[in-house]
Amino acid sequence: MSAAGYLSAELCSSVLCCLRKRQRIPSSRTEQESAASTGKTTGNGVTLVTSTTNPDISFMTQKSYFPNEVSTTNPMTSLTNNGPPKCPVMNHGPTANGVTSLRNYLDGTVAVDTLHEKQRQSGICTNNLCMGSTMLNDDMKHPRTIRSREGLLADAEDFLVQYYTSLKSLDSASHRMRWAEVKEDIAATGTYDLTLEELAFGVKTAWRNAPRCIGRIQWSKLKVMDARHVSTARGMFEAICSHLEYGTNNGNLRSTITVFPPRRSRREDFRVWNNQLILYAGYRQPDGSVIGDPSNAEFTEICEALGWRGKGGLFDVLPLVLSAAGGDPEVFDIPEKLVLEVEMKHPKYAWFEELGLKWFVFPGVSKMVLDCGGLEFPAVPFNGWYLGTEVGARNFCDAARYNMTEKVAIKMGLNTENTSSLWRDRALVEVNIAVLHSFQSVGATIVDHHTASESFIQHLHNEQRQRGGCPADWVWVVPPMSGSQTEVFHQEMTVYKLKPSYEYQEDAWTAHVWKNKDLQQRYLEARLKRLTQSQAKAVASHINCVIVFATETGRSERFARQLCQTFKRAFTTRVVCMEDIDLTELQQQDLILVVTSTFGNGDGPENGETFAKSLEKVIQSGSLERKKGTEVGDANGDRGGALKNIRYGVFGLGSRAYPNFCAFGHFLDSLLGDLGGQKILETGEGDELSGQDNSFKTWARRAFKASLTAFHVDSDMDTTDLDGDLSSGDDTWTPGRFRIAELPDGEEGDLCTVLGKLHNKHVEPCKVQERRQLQSATSPRQTILVRLGTNSSTAMKYSPGDHVAIFPSNSPAMVEAILSRLHEAPPAGQIMRIEVMQEETTARGTVENWVVWDKVPSCSLRTAFTRYLDITTPPSQDLLKTLSTLADNNQDRDRLDLLTTDSNAYEEWRDTNAPTLLEVLKAFPSLRVPASLLVTQLPLLKQRYYSISSSPDAHPNEVHATVAVLKYTTEGGVEHEGVCSGWLNKLEVGQVIPCAIRAAPNFRLPEDKTLPVMMVGPGTGIAPFRSFWQQRQVDVARGHTPTNASRRGWGDMRLYFGCRSSSQDHVYDSELAAMKDQRVLKDYYVALSREPGQPKMYVQDMLQQYAKDVFNTMVKAGGHIYVCGDVEMAEDVRQTLERILSEQGNLTPEAAREYIRQMRSVKRYHEDIFGVLQKKTKVETRSPVQTNNVAEDVPWIHKITDSVDEGGNVVPVFPSTNQFVRRAVLNTSLTSLDGFSAGVASN
């Protein structure tokens, strides 16, 4: 915002009235009809017309200007039974043509406002009464009634139309899909949530629509801080501190808004009780006078009643009074270093400084409610910067404020006895000169009223061109001094209400419903919060750090939150998921740290894909000059791009079981560099197979030290004791910090709803319709087909090639055994919730309060351990460290200490035993583990992904999954079973299980159906191809013959399948034969690796055997290649295809590799792969571990080659001798690796 008078006066008007001087008569229709239409028509239908009677006067007009062409569907006509009210001053109503003709009396131009036709409600004027000059009355306040569901739907629909129109995507598929989602949410819950992009559009558009704001030309540059996740007053305070720090920016103010949670019930509002974030106190004296700012006298008394005590001075900063979710208010002193103040001096009068005047530079309006899309946000503090007259003319010189006019006039030697001497005017000018001079002298942003007027006129022209009008309140826009010397004084304006909007609301203290009657009796005892040492350092440094993460299993988020604990020592730091942040927000940061995992063939987690694509789109669009980031530590290079001068660092998590190790992390590193970011240190890598936690901690320490150096922050800071921060987070368990609260009357929430909230997915109940064994009865292994009914759920719609997520249940026997070993636990079936202790510092000392901890829902312990908590993954070193403090036996304690301090010992123990939680409790029998420890520290039980094995057209309202049942024996000799596959293998028909769909847009059948398709999938890698041939069968049966240029008919579809024996695990053999007979499949080929009397053959051997057909498919016919299975098989297939290209096409090896790369880039080479490697410390002769979607016939042991260091010395990959990598599964927990989640790289 480029001014602040409009800010401190508040932005929004409820007036619907044209406020003009009486002599300003609008141009008549006759004059306009006689105008010569010689002008040009603009893109929005506005035509510039020159008058025939006066060539110096121009009009802007549209078709809808004349009465017979006004739309008959104007929503205003239905506002009242008697029609909309009219303003008596100009005798017009909201749809009358007289409203729309607006003249500028300086240049004679006349504009036609058609935008007012889009208003959705009437103003406060009546047929007999104009309220245009009122400052604020009850009719202007936002209504206290709850919006009806019909009203919410109408407002939401209107908002989405505006939003998608701004994206030029009106009535697009995404628009229709989003509208369907909103309607579904409102029908189910009575409300809905805005996406971050919708919220940003809404708050900016609300500013754009604010009639009383003179500085709206800056509307599109508003910085949005999303604080809708905040649940406590303390959280609000911390968010506001971040806002103050960011918006103040050492005096170079940045327009910023913080949005707190929307209104769900009027008894649960989030409110900022201050009218502005920063206010000066007003102390009422016995004689009625006020020391300080009289406008804040009432609020000062409220603060005092809450326990705050001021110093009784003229410029005492009042505290923040905040209430969250309808709770009683809490009081927080604003840290002094967040309040930037300017001492007033005059460029000519030295005595002016003796007046002792000062003012704060940050005008943060906090009283307004945001009305956006039918949702109401009662706490949305925002700031711009001051208009000079707001401080000089209003705050200092108004008689009801500091009333300095006469004092200054006397100092100037003016005759104050005679008003005709204009002493008031002359003193007023000098005060305003002093304000502008003082702000400018210290580099604080401020704008004079002439500049603001010019920018607003330009804004009017912009809006007239872009939207056909602009709501504006003349009474408020014209500055409080020298009005006629500004152009806005001579510009007619019209006031009307558009949505989204900022609205007035009642004072928080008048609407609050007190919860604690004792506090109410004392008018609440205030709770004051002091910044911790680390927060104070952040405030001092004024450096914003954001840590963004993307995760599939939660590990990246855990690392990000641990990293936050360290960086909070010196920076203002927060943690954000990638899906909740965009480039605009990144541009407002000083330091960006990224923690992300990689899964599949180098892909990013689901909640990081949109973020990466948005950055890539910015680069590829050409709107920004693409420049690579400078080398590490180079802060002086020629930087360009959206993230110029912003430092960043990246840590990637992954597994070397994949060919593209940590690829997504490196990809984001490249994007941030291309956008102009300056890398502070090399990208870190954490391998799940070897010391990932230690790699992260090492990188984090280096990143912190590099950041201190880069920003010249606290060079003498002690950085030797960072491990504590890096091993803990906001949710770290310590004795007495968490407790279990029993809820005798509590009920467990709906399972799918709870899982959806925990995992941020749309989870639906699906009924098991069939569970069929696919392998023969003589096979030692099991593969099952699971048919699930979706009950026509729209959330379960999918395309062939997509994945189904299944949320499993832990073994009941294991759960009961764990429950029997817990201490300080309620009955296993008792509904309970977790509460965490939070400390608050108040005027009377430190107060401790128990608040709800919502990471685990309210439920019984049995449900928590059965459905929500992962009890099969080996405990992390951090969890073992906590457990070691609870061991009564010295031997148990020593063994646990070794595992927590020696990473090699830990990894050997983890990989050899793959211990579940129950096995750990048995191995260390002296452990006395509180239930609250495990409930708060165990990771969530994750969904397992399976490639869908059905076509939605062949099997409507069904999803099929092909599941390999995982059973194996650890090297320690313990029998384990896959959590999900074992659970599915025991389900009965009719049971209901939670499911979700994950799209796989890069693994879809070609749009051109005439192209050939080659599918390669050993073992359960055949799963997605069943959906392919079923879809082809349906498409062929419909009778349509595809064509494309010279090609006509269905492209050949061939399958290369691998299994061990034709009599045991040749799954879907009869179905494949039928597909070939029906000519759905051109052919299929089966590679048998354990067929008696035949040599071993793998799918890559089969490809080589049919090299000519493969070459023709890839090259001559331009076909698509699909590969599904483990990463090693996929690599063998790729090498075989390259060899075929070399042999059949006479290509060099490099040319063949390039050809495959080109096929990938044009999306003709598709892979659905997952890792299968895990480090083991002992190799035994036993059957291979069976994993889902894994070829069962690959060699069992693979020796890892030792590496060589820079000095030429051989460095063993693993410290102990004869260590190998065996084929197993990616995750450290073998029991949790059944399902396609085995392909998700560690995060």
Side-chain angles (χ1 to χ4, degrees):
M1 304 178 185
S2 58
Y6 58 90
L7 272 173
S8 58
E10 296 146 353
L11 288 182
C12 203
S13 172
S14 299
V15 185
L16 175 60
C17 178
C18 181
L19 300 167
R20 292 177 279 188
K21 298 290 184 181
R22 288 195 176 184
Q23 71 273 21
R24 297 180 179 178
I25 307 300
S27 304
S28 68
R29 177 180 173 185
T30 303
E31 179 183 0
Q32 294 164 359
E33 288 179 327
S34 65
S37 56
T38 58
K40 294 182 179 180
T41 301
T42 64
N44 65 350
V46 179
T47 303
L48 186 64
V49 183
T50 304
S51 170
T52 56
T53 58
N54 186 348
D56 293 328
I57 298 180
S58 298
F59 306 90
M60 286 184 177
T61 187
Q62 291 183 328
K63 278 189 174 182
S64 60
Y65 170 78
F66 298 108
N68 61 336
E69 294 173 328
V70 174
S71 169
T72 60
T73 61
N74 191 330
M76 287 299 300
T77 59
S78 61
L79 288 173
T80 65
N81 294 331
N82 300 321
K86 295 182 179 181
C87 175
V89 175
M90 295 306 300
N91 192 31
H92 62 257
T95 60
N97 288 322
V99 149
T100 63
S101 176
L102 304 173
R103 177 178 297 190
N104 184 300
Y105 281 83
L106 288 182
D107 57 21
T109 58
V110 177
V112 175
D113 187 304
T114 60
L115 180 63
H116 73 278
E117 296 176 1
K118 296 183 178 180
Q119 61 188 326
R120 295 177 53 83
Q121 65 186 87
S122 179
I124 62 171
C125 292
T126 68
N127 291 344
N128 301 316
L129 185 66
C130 174
M131 301 294 294
S133 61
T134 56
M135 175 162 177
L136 180 64
N137 57 60
D138 290 340
D139 290 332
M140 290 182 179
K141 295 178 181 177
H142 204 57
R144 298 188 63 179
T145 56
I146 299 297
R147 191 162 305 183
S148 68
R149 184 164 297 192
E150 293 73 21
L152 176 59
L153 279 168
D155 288 343
E157 182 179 21
D158 177 72
F159 173 75
L160 290 178
V161 167
Q162 293 186 56
Y163 175 68
Y164 281 95
T165 298
S166 73
L167 299 178
K168 300 182 179 178
S169 299
L170 184 64
D171 202 34
S172 63
S174 58
H175 180 189
R176 293 192 297 272
M177 181 180 300
R178 176 59 175 151
W179 174 228
E181 292 174 351
V182 169
K183 288 192 293 184
E184 184 178 347
D185 288 347
I186 293 176
T189 67
T191 187
Y192 72 105
D193 289 315
L194 298 173
T195 67
L196 181 60
E197 293 78 12
E198 290 167 354
L199 178 67
F201 171 81
V203 298
K204 294 177 182 180
T205 304
W207 183 12
R208 190 181 190 182
N209 292 338
R212 291 184 169 183
C213 173
I214 193 175
R216 279 177 280 165
I217 198 169
Q218 300 282 335
W219 68 269
S220 64
K221 299 179 182 179
L222 181 63
K223 158 68 178 176
V224 183
M225 291 185 169
D226 187 2
R228 290 176 292 173
H229 63 282
V230 168
S231 60
T232 64
R234 183 176 69 170
M236 294 179 70
F237 172 65
E238 291 171 349
I240 290 174
C241 284
S242 297
H243 182 154
L244 287 168
E245 180 185 358
Y246 175 83
T248 302
N249 193 29
N250 290 319
N252 186 16
L253 270 65
R254 296 185 279 206
S255 305
T256 309
I257 183 170
T258 296
V259 182
F260 291 107
R263 172 174 289 149
R264 300 304 188 195
S265 164
R266 288 197 175 269
R267 290 181 176 267
E268 299 177 358
D269 276 356
F270 288 73
R271 289 297 301 268
V272 180
W273 290 40
N274 310 56
N275 289 339
Q276 292 189 47
L277 294 181
I278 301 176
L279 295 169
Y280 286 135
Y283 303 100
R284 206 183 307 272
Q285 303 300 301
D287 61 358
S289 63
V290 175
I291 296 176
D293 192 342
S295 67
N296 299 324
E298 180 184 7
F299 185 63
T300 301
E301 292 169 352
I302 292 174
C303 293
E304 290 175 329
L306 293 172
W308 177 80
R309 292 294 177 265
K311 298 179 181 179
L314 287 171
F315 300 100
D316 294 345
V317 176
L318 286 167
L320 287 170
V321 180
L322 311 171
S323 56
D328 286 334
E330 301 178 27
V331 181
F332 302 88
D333 275 332
I334 303 175
E336 291 182 4
K337 294 181 180 179
L338 289 182
V339 182
L340 182 59
E341 297 173 292
V342 177
E343 305 285 345
M344 295 299 143
K345 302 178 182 179
H346 195 281
K348 178 180 177 182
Y349 301 119
W351 50 260
F352 199 95
E353 186 175 357
E354 299 171 3
L355 297 175
L357 301 178
K358 64 179 179 180
W359 205 259
F360 48 86
V361 304
F362 185 96
V365 176
S366 50
K367 183 180 180 179
M368 311 299 286
V369 57
L370 169 65
D371 188 334
C372 181
L375 302 178
E376 299 170 357
F377 298 83
V380 283
F382 53 88
N383 77 279
W385 46 81
Y386 271 120
L387 183 70
T389 52
E390 178 63 19
V391 179
R394 302 300 311 281
N395 299 344
F396 285 152
C397 293
D398 272 7
R401 299 296 296 282
Y402 279 83
N403 195 20
M404 298 297 298
T405 310
E406 186 173 5
K407 295 178 181 178
V408 171
I410 293 173
K411 283 282 190 178
M412 293 174 62
L414 302 179
N415 179 10
T416 59
E417 300 296 324
N418 187 352
T419 57
S420 62
S421 68
L422 302 183
W423 62 268
R424 297 181 185 276
D425 307 75
R426 294 169 65 185
L428 184 68
V429 169
E430 296 303 329
V431 171
N432 279 271
I433 289 174
V435 169
L436 293 172
H437 169 74
S438 301
F439 270 64
Q440 292 165 357
S441 296
V442 299
T445 306
I446 197 166
V447 64
D448 65 87
H449 50 290
H450 297 284
T451 301
S453 172
E454 293 169 2
S455 72
F456 185 74
I457 293 297
Q458 181 60 53
H459 174 69
L460 286 180
H461 293 164
N462 294 344
E463 291 294 88
Q464 187 68 46
R465 182 178 66 254
Q466 296 172 11
R467 297 205 295 176
C470 177
D473 189 338
W474 188 94
V475 172
W476 283 77
V477 170
V478 174
M481 63 177 286
S482 308
S484 64
Q485 295 302 303
T486 62
E487 190 173 354
V488 291
F489 180 88
H490 304 278
Q491 172 65 57
E492 290 181 336
M493 304 173 193
T494 186
V495 186
Y496 47 91
K497 293 182 65 173
L498 299 175
K499 301 293 184 184
S501 64
Y502 296 106
E503 307 280 358
Y504 294 110
Q505 59 183 331
E506 66 271 68
D507 290 322
W509 53 88
T510 64
H512 182 68
V513 178
W514 300 95
K515 306 300 184 296
N516 187 310
K517 297 304 179 182
D518 290 334
L519 290 180
Q520 182 179 15
Q521 184 67 29
R522 294 176 290 151
Y523 215 14
L524 294 175
E525 185 172 286
R527 292 193 294 171
L528 302 174
K529 176 184 178 295
R530 300 170 184 170
L531 290 178
T532 64
Q533 181 179 3
S534 60
Q535 290 171 317
K537 290 179 181 294
V539 171
S541 60
H542 285 266
I543 297 170
N544 290 312
C545 171
V546 64
I547 302 173
V548 297
F549 68 87
T551 183
E552 284 285 345
T553 67
R555 187 171 299 176
S556 289
E557 180 178 3
R558 176 168 64 85
F559 280 175
R561 298 197 182 280
Q562 290 174 354
L563 191 64
C564 182
Q565 295 301 307
T566 292
F567 274 75
K568 282 168 63 176
R569 292 184 174 211
F571 305 100
T572 299
T573 308
R574 61 193 183 99
V575 178
V576 181
C577 181
M578 278 186 199
E579 65 183 355
D580 297 326
I581 196 169
D582 58 16
L583 178 63
T584 302
E585 191 168 356
L586 287 180
Q587 289 176 298
Q588 315 304 327
Q589 307 303 317
D590 301 299
L591 175 61
I592 302 167
L593 299 173
V594 177
V595 183
T596 183
S597 61
T598 297
F599 79 96
N601 194 29
D603 300 320
E606 208 171 357
N607 54 15
E609 291 177 351
T610 301
F611 174 81
K613 289 178 180 178
S614 65
L615 298 188
E616 193 174 19
K617 185 177 180 180
V618 171
I619 296 171
Q620 293 175 348
S621 68
S623 61
L624 296 171
E625 180 183 359
R626 183 166 183 156
K627 290 189 177 184
K628 286 290 184 181
T630 57
E631 295 300 320
V632 175
D634 180 5
N636 300 314
D638 182 15
R639 309 297 298 150
L643 301 182
K644 179 180 179 181
N645 297 328
I646 295 176
R647 272 73 164 217
Y648 75 93
V650 179
F651 184 82
L653 294 83
S655 168
R656 294 193 186 276
Y658 287 84
N660 299 311
F661 177 58
C662 292
F664 189 63
H666 289 288
F667 178 58
L668 291 178
D669 174 19
S670 176
L671 291 179
L672 294 171
D674 289 350
L675 288 167
Q678 299 178 19
K679 187 160 56 176
I680 60 173
L681 81 166
E682 292 297 339
T683 296
E685 296 178 341
D687 181 10
E688 186 185 24
L689 301 181
S690 180
Q692 191 175 75
D693 281 28
N694 282 341
S695 298
F696 166 70
K697 290 177 181 178
T698 299
W699 177 86
R701 285 191 290 266
R702 292 173 179 171
F704 184 61
K705 294 176 182 179
S707 300
L708 295 179
T709 301
F711 290 100
H712 309 289
V713 176
D714 286 347
S715 58
D716 59 344
M717 179 180 291
D718 181 9
T719 59
T720 59
D721 185 26
L722 299 180
D723 285 347
D725 291 342
L726 296 173
S727 298
S728 65
D730 293 334
D731 299 325
T732 301
W733 185 91
T734 55
R737 184 165 188 216
F738 292 92
R739 74 176 183 184
I740 292 178
E742 297 184 19
L743 303 176
D745 299 324
E747 295 182 356
E748 294 187 348
D750 174 73
L751 178 61
C752 290
T753 301
V754 172
L755 288 171
K757 291 180 179 179
L758 286 178
H759 300 276
N760 195 27
K761 298 185 184 299
H762 200 140
V763 181
E764 290 290 316
C766 294
K767 183 178 292 185
V768 178
Q769 296 183 339
E770 181 186 12
R771 175 175 56 81
R772 186 203 322 165
Q773 297 291 337
L774 296 178
Q775 296 197 32
S776 70
T778 61
S779 175
R781 300 175 310 280
Q782 290 180 300
T783 301
I784 58 175
L785 170 66
V786 181
R787 288 178 51 228
L788 302 171
T790 65
N791 196 28
S792 303
S793 170
T794 57
M796 292 299 294
K797 291 183 178 179
Y798 64 92
S799 298
D802 287 347
H803 306 144
V804 59
I806 297 178
F807 295 80
S809 175
N810 286 314
S811 161
M814 185 181 297
V815 169
E816 293 304 319
I818 292 172
L819 292 174
S820 69
R821 287 169 168 79
L822 297 181
H823 291 264
E824 302 173 7
Q830 172 66 56
I831 305 299
M832 55 87 192
R833 72 183 180 199
I834 303 298
E835 296 180 346
V836 60
M837 174 66 72
Q838 288 188 352
E839 292 185 352
E840 299 285 349
T841 302
T842 72
R844 296 192 173 187
T846 299
V847 177
E848 295 182 340
N849 292 308
W850 290 103
V851 298
V852 177
W853 190 76
D854 57 4
K855 301 297 177 64
V856 173
S858 297
C859 62
S860 68
L861 278 178
R862 180 173 289 114
T863 299
F865 282 95
T866 302
R867 302 308 308 235
Y868 303 136
L869 300 174
D870 185 349
I871 60 176
T872 59
T873 296
S876 67
Q877 283 184 286
D878 290 336
L879 180 53
L880 292 178
K881 184 176 181 180
T882 302
L883 291 176
S884 69
T885 65
L886 303 173
D888 291 339
N889 181 283
N890 289 335
Q891 185 178 1
D892 286 351
R893 189 182 301 111
D894 292 342
R895 290 167 57 206
L896 285 168
D897 286 342
L898 175 65
L899 294 176
T900 61
T901 56
D902 187 331
S903 294
N904 292 327
Y906 169 77
E907 290 176 12
E908 182 173 354
W909 169 80
R910 179 195 66 188
D911 297 341
T912 300
N913 300 294
T916 65
L917 174 63
L918 178 59
E919 290 163 0
V920 171
L921 296 178
K922 289 180 178 179
F924 302 96
S926 71
L927 285 174
R928 298 177 59 84
V929 183
S932 62
L933 166 61
L934 296 182
V935 174
T936 58
Q937 302 306 298
L938 287 176
L940 293 177
L941 178 59
K942 288 295 180 178
Q943 67 276 9
R944 271 58 169 168
Y945 289 103
Y946 295 90
S947 301
I948 295 177
S949 300
S950 58
S951 159
D953 292 334
H955 298 277
N957 302 322
E958 289 187 10
V959 173
H960 298 183
T962 304
V963 180
V965 180
L966 176 62
K967 294 180 180 180
Y968 63 95
T969 303
T970 69
E971 289 194 11
V974 180
E975 297 293 333
H976 279 185
E977 178 180 71
V979 174
C980 192
S981 63
W983 174 65
L984 290 172
N985 198 34
K986 298 180 183 71
L987 290 178
E988 300 293 337
V989 172
Q991 286 189 252
V992 176
I993 64 175
C995 298
I997 295 295
R998 181 173 70 180
N1002 295 324
F1003 203 79
R1004 299 277 172 81
L1005 286 167
E1007 294 184 7
D1008 184 352
K1009 307 301 182 184
T1010 66
L1011 293 175
V1013 170
M1014 188 177 83
M1015 304 170 290
V1016 183
T1020 48
I1022 196 175
F1025 302 138
R1026 184 172 186 258
S1027 71
F1028 283 10
W1029 74 60
Q1030 287 187 358
Q1031 186 63 47
R1032 174 62 64 87
Q1033 182 185 30
V1034 171
D1035 292 342
V1036 171
R1038 288 170 174 163
H1040 170 70
T1041 301
T1043 60
N1044 190 329
S1046 61
R1047 296 191 302 273
R1048 178 178 175 80
W1050 295 96
D1052 292 343
M1053 182 176 277
R1054 288 182 169 87
L1055 170 69
Y1056 294 84
F1057 172 63
C1059 63
R1060 298 170 66 87
S1061 169
S1062 60
S1063 63
Q1064 291 189 339
D1065 59 346
H1066 186 183
V1067 298
Y1068 300 124
D1069 52 345
S1070 59
E1071 191 170 333
L1072 286 169
M1075 292 300 103
K1076 182 177 179 180
D1077 291 343
Q1078 296 174 29
R1079 298 184 179 181
V1080 173
L1081 288 177
K1082 177 71 175 178
D1083 211 340
Y1084 66 95
Y1085 313 94
V1086 182
L1088 302 171
S1089 64
R1090 301 293 188 276
E1091 188 73 3
Q1094 293 185 13
K1096 291 183 178 182
M1097 179 172 284
Y1098 304 101
V1099 285
Q1100 59 266 32
D1101 301 322
M1102 189 67 71
L1103 291 172
Q1104 189 68 53
Q1105 183 174 321
Y1106 292 91
K1108 186 174 181 179
D1109 289 343
V1110 171
F1111 179 80
N1112 289 339
T1113 298
M1114 282 199 300
V1115 180
K1116 294 187 177 181
H1120 285 242
I1121 311 298
Y1122 296 84
V1123 182
C1124 181
D1126 71 85
V1127 64
E1128 184 171 326
M1129 178 280 302
E1131 178 65 14
D1132 291 340
V1133 167
R1134 183 188 61 79
Q1135 292 179 5
T1136 300
L1137 295 177
E1138 290 176 358
R1139 186 163 56 251
I1140 291 172
L1141 287 170
S1142 296
E1143 295 170 353
Q1144 298 290 321
N1146 295 320
L1147 297 179
T1148 65
E1150 179 54 39
R1153 284 191 291 272
E1154 180 58 29
Y1155 190 86
I1156 295 294
R1157 283 195 290 266
Q1158 289 299 320
M1159 288 186 69
R1160 291 185 199 273
S1161 67
V1162 298
K1163 298 184 178 179
R1164 285 180 49 220
Y1165 194 94
H1166 314 264
E1167 291 179 308
D1168 205 350
I1169 67 173
F1170 41 89
V1172 294
L1173 292 181
Q1174 182 184 356
K1175 172 187 165 186
K1176 303 301 287 186
T1177 60
K1178 182 180 179 183
V1179 175
E1180 299 179 5
T1181 304
R1182 64 174 76 246
S1183 298
V1185 173
Q1186 306 304 315
T1187 61
N1188 184 42
N1189 290 11
V1190 176
E1192 309 291 1
D1193 47 6
V1194 187
W1196 174 241
I1197 299 172
H1198 300 272
K1199 183 70 180 290
I1200 290 188
T1201 305
D1202 290 335
S1203 60
V1204 179
D1205 65 13
E1206 296 178 355
N1209 302 310
V1210 175
V1211 180
V1213 174
F1214 303 127
S1216 56
T1217 59
N1218 298 323
Q1219 293 187 346
F1220 296 84
V1221 168
R1222 84 155 62 169
R1223 291 191 56 79
V1225 284
L1226 173 66
N1227 214 338
T1228 55
S1229 170
L1230 296 177
T1231 56
S1232 66
L1233 287 174
D1234 55 322
F1236 200 73
S1237 62
V1240 179
S1242 159
N1243 70 29

